[in-house]
Amino acid sequence: MLLNVIILMCMLGLQLRGCAADLCNWTGSGFAAGVDSRIVLQVRLRCTEGSVRWIYPGQALRVVLEPNLFSARRTTVCIKPSPSFRGASVFIERAGELELLATEGGRPGQQVFCFRADGPHRLAIYLQSSPQGDGPWSRRTMGFRYELLGNRSAAPNVGHSGMKTSCRPCNDTQLLMAICNSDFVVRGYIKNVSHDSERQTSLVEVSAVRVYWQRSGVFEQQAAASGSRRSGHIHTLLQCRVKPGDGEFLFTGSEHFGEAWLGCAPRYKDFLSVYQTAWAARRNSCDFPLD
């Protein structure tokens, strides 16, 4: 249905600079489409992460994600609707067919939706605006942030009902892979655990002894009486029932939209035993620095 309408390329030429090959973010107005309800505005983005902000949304917006060749292996896409995302539905275009991903009535800004993007076809995301009582050009803004994830940034199991990550402890094989493929690997202590019943998540406050690596600045330097130390927060599911525990842990996981999500988190002494056994048998997936 939406595919049979007229597509307005790059906002009728009003946003020609927005067609540059390195475009990551887009902000535009539905006014460019005029009053023709058949017109779908089209935007092309070339980065692996960015944002879309649609002011005075009209009938529909088609966002085509065309990452560069370096990122062609990235096959998972995650989008996070903005807090103001109301009165619209989100569709994914696959081989000319539209699949409903999210619709109004959810919890904007709190849900993340991930999906596979395999195959030779370009990935397109549709935003279809619903009519509002204050006229066809209601004064509102909607949009979303997006990420294209690769092997190192393993996507969380996110679906229409939110996070579905397993709460079971990692086995030895999963742990050895986690220290190689995670977005962050940190050794430290649990300072506090808080719970959010609305988001159905828990937040683990970590005092880091050593940050082996992190994709972004989730763990920041903090000044303390005993010296400088990094600290940060890691999200996990409320259903996992995480509790504060004594001793050192090795925290691994993925980063999405500026938030760290927990993967494997063994006690550090248990990790050492697993890693040293694998190293002796030459079964370790990668080399890991030991103190």
Side-chain angles (χ1 to χ4, degrees):
M1 181 171 60
L2 284 177
L3 298 181
N4 296 326
V5 299
I6 301 171
I7 294 180
L8 188 63
M9 301 295 292
C10 291
M11 300 292 293
L12 290 174
L14 298 179
Q15 299 286 341
L16 290 179
R17 294 185 61 186
C19 298
D22 62 348
L23 182 65
C24 301
N25 308 306
W26 178 85
T27 297
S29 170
F31 277 128
V35 295
D36 193 339
S37 61
R38 298 174 300 164
I39 291 179
V40 174
L41 304 181
Q42 178 161 286
V43 176
R44 296 181 183 274
L45 302 177
R46 298 287 182 133
C47 297
T48 57
E49 61 181 78
S51 63
V52 171
R53 186 166 176 259
W54 194 17
I55 306 170
Y56 292 100
Q59 173 70 11
L61 175 70
R62 183 175 186 254
V63 180
V64 181
L65 300 181
E66 298 178 315
N68 55 40
L69 294 178
F70 176 78
S71 306
R73 295 171 297 172
R74 298 172 182 260
T75 56
T76 300
V77 179
C78 292
I79 66 172
K80 182 177 183 178
S82 62
S84 60
F85 192 93
R86 299 185 184 279
S89 299
V90 182
F91 297 84
I92 302 170
E93 178 187 334
R94 298 181 191 270
E97 299 292 331
L98 295 181
E99 300 177 12
L100 181 63
L101 180 67
T103 187
E104 55 182 312
R107 292 180 293 178
Q110 296 186 7
Q111 288 183 297
V112 174
F113 300 92
C114 295
F115 50 91
R116 302 290 293 181
D118 299 327
H121 302 285
R122 293 190 181 116
L123 175 66
I125 301 173
Y126 271 91
L127 272 67
Q128 184 176 26
S129 178
S130 303
Q132 300 293 300
D134 49 353
W137 303 108
S138 59
R139 186 174 182 177
R140 56 195 173 109
T141 300
M142 63 178 61
F144 60 86
R145 296 169 63 187
Y146 70 90
E147 288 184 339
L148 277 69
L149 307 177
N151 292 333
R152 186 170 180 82
S153 302
N157 297 321
V158 181
H160 292 225
S161 60
M163 294 283 183
K164 297 180 181 179
T165 304
S166 172
C167 295
R168 291 177 298 179
C170 296
N171 58 35
D172 292 354
T173 301
Q174 293 170 329
L175 176 56
L176 293 172
M177 289 298 297
I179 62 172
C180 303
N181 297 330
S182 294
D183 287 336
F184 64 88
V185 179
V186 175
R187 177 160 58 97
Y189 300 88
I190 298 177
K191 292 179 62 178
N192 186 42
V193 179
S194 58
H195 306 289
D196 187 333
S197 58
E198 183 179 0
R199 292 188 63 183
Q200 288 294 295
T201 60
S202 297
L203 191 63
V204 183
E205 184 179 357
V206 173
S207 176
V209 174
R210 181 173 180 182
V211 177
Y212 295 96
W213 56 76
Q214 59 178 330
R215 184 158 65 93
S216 60
V218 173
F219 292 88
E220 300 177 341
Q221 201 79 20
Q222 301 287 337
S226 58
S228 182
R229 176 170 289 187
R230 292 180 182 269
S231 65
H233 295 83
I234 304 175
H235 297 259
T236 189
L237 299 182
L238 183 63
Q239 69 190 44
C240 294
R241 299 180 180 179
V242 175
K243 298 179 181 179
D246 297 329
E248 279 188 315
F249 291 83
L250 188 72
F251 300 96
T252 70
S254 56
E255 297 178 19
H256 302 285
F257 304 108
E259 295 180 342
W261 285 87
L262 188 63
C264 301
R267 292 188 179 275
Y268 184 66
K269 62 180 180 63
D270 296 334
F271 159 73
L272 284 179
S273 176
V274 171
Y275 181 81
Q276 289 170 345
T277 300
W279 186 85
R282 297 184 178 181
R283 291 187 292 104
N284 52 311
S285 302
C286 63
D287 290 331
F288 189 83
L290 300 179
D291 296 337

